[in-house]
Amino acid sequence: MLHAVTLHYIASAHSLAAQIDAHKEWLAEGFARGLILFAGPLSTGKGGYILFHADSAEDVNTFLQGDPFVIDRLVDCEQVSIEPLLRAADFPASWAGAAKVV
């Protein structure tokens, strides 16, 4: 199952900058564990986006609790889960379960 998480900044740029290296280390752990597929800042500059691949939303939520941005209450998180039903041929089947190729 895929899980989209949008981080909305609720703290000052200074507070975020103080934790950015720790946040990046946390992201690297997620990539190493195969939980995070991609991550990056929003074009608005008001947050970030992370796409997870995990068995459950609870697994993602548990991992999110280790993010320094979350621990220090620098962001609000919006999490949505999806089980893809259709996928492009070049989208990895391992990320889309039983989705049909279109």
Side-chain angles (χ1 to χ4, degrees):
M1 182 171 271
L2 299 176
H3 309 272
V5 175
T6 305
L7 305 175
H8 301 279
Y9 300 148
I10 58 172
S12 68
H14 176 74
S15 296
L16 291 161
Q19 287 295 341
I20 192 68
D21 289 338
H23 174 70
K24 288 179 181 179
E25 288 177 19
W26 172 83
L27 287 169
E29 179 186 343
F31 282 110
R33 290 176 51 184
L35 286 171
I36 298 177
L37 301 178
F38 69 80
L42 298 176
S43 61
T44 61
K46 296 181 180 182
Y49 184 89
I50 307 168
L51 184 63
F52 288 86
H53 181 251
D55 291 334
S56 70
E58 292 81 21
D59 291 344
V60 173
N61 189 49
T62 298
F63 187 72
L64 279 170
Q65 298 314 303
D67 181 358
F69 281 3
V70 173
I71 292 168
D72 289 347
R73 295 182 175 101
L74 306 177
V75 295
D76 279 333
C77 298
E78 178 184 352
Q79 182 176 336
V80 215
S81 301
I82 184 171
E83 186 65 56
L85 295 178
L86 302 173
R87 68 176 175 89
D90 59 350
F91 189 85
S94 63
W95 296 348
K100 282 180 72 174
V101 175
V102 178

